[in-house]
Amino acid sequence: MSRLAVLGGTPVRQGRGWPGWPQYDDATEREVIAAIRSRRWAISWPSDGTRARERRFADEFARYNDVPFCVSVDHGSSALLVALEALDIGPGDEVIVPSMTWVAPATAVLRVGALPVLVDTDDETGCITRETISAGLSSRTKAVIVVHLGCTVADLDGILQLTGEAGIPLIEDCAQAHGARWRGRPVGSFGAIGAFSFQNGKVLAAGEGGAVITSDEHLYRRAQQLRADSRRYPDTEVPAGQLELVEECEVMGSNYCMSELSAAVLLDQLPRLDAQHRHREKIADELERRLGDLGDFGPIPLPEHADQRSIYEYGIRFRPGTFGSASAGRVAEALSAELGMPWYPPDPPLHRSTMLQPHTKRRFAALWSEDGRARAVGRDFSGAERFCESTLLCHHSALLGDSSDVDDIVHALEKVRGRRDEL
Ligand SMILES: Cc1ncc(COP(=O)(O)O)c(C=O)c1O
């Protein structure tokens, strides 16, 4: 076995790239060109006599998720903001947010003037649980945001039981979980609102984009207005030359509308999603069989009633001590050098993330008073820390190739483990 590639040795994988992401073909280009040629690049522009692409995508995405309603928006972050505003969360309120997540759920709560109360996560899945939510509850808690993280699903039974008993709405952040299922139903359809991101790296990508889904008609009306300057879709089809938005103005909104060009990309991408899921699942199954033979390694577990995962960031868990005293970050560096693609540990949990700095903005500084900060981050986060110390992640596109990729990943893990003393 040659020296580690990170120390100048020969890498396990040479001369071969990894599958590209996002995937597109002539059909994608045709959709985008048709959108350009229509001259209607925004919902807030006179109709050409056909339904706007962002509305057609919303209909398709609602169907995909088995819910009656969906509103397209410009980012996953806006989806969270619209979800919180639809539920009328605001100053004086607290919202439970997992510590293990991208920063957007916490900043969305701040943006509506409420306090994000970070809670610990399960040490094997990185998701919040009924127990960790309980540790953050107070009489001010007005919502819980659950993030279905990476390639697993949070334990929705326990969480829904708790939020149901407490009478607190659940927002499901599904930015990393498009198409995952719990007890046979798509995630995002269990809470009051589900929020999605279509940012470039997501399994359903449009560069930038987002959506909220709901089964509640009242929340749907509010969400439409909150994202289109207080306007909503008309009740009847509109002829060419007229706007496909009417000024309802029941609640004041802002502009978080999805561009028609993004919607064109999504209309092309959505029908590809399930085949891509199946492909990733096949390669992940193969990899997991091989990891079982290796010992020391295993996948991020899926709770019993999660009957389909969505692999956004694929995670490998390793037993403490597998790589001697090397940190997960150093192991990931070594693995990346062997494979010629990025592996990385989970982002630092939000309670110590450099991205969560409310005091740097005047409108959030008061929320981050000594008391506010203590409520937000003053609890035990040992589950999240253990998750970070023993997890290696890679982007889902690594699972869109074939069995030879599995061989390379397994050989790289074996090599780095075998030469751990050099790290
Ligand atoms: C869990 C989670 N929520 C929200 C977002 C925000 O989505 P966007 O980048 O589209 O604003 C992300 C993006 O990575 C995410 O991972």
Side-chain angles (χ1 to χ4, degrees), residues 75-77 80 101-102 104-105 147 173 175-176 197-199 202 208-209 312:
H75 298 94
S77 303
L80 288 165
T101 177
W102 185 245
V147 175
D173 183 337
Q176 307 189 3
S197 162
F198 308 123
Q199 177 270 342
K202 301 299 186 287
E208 301 281 7
Y312 162 60

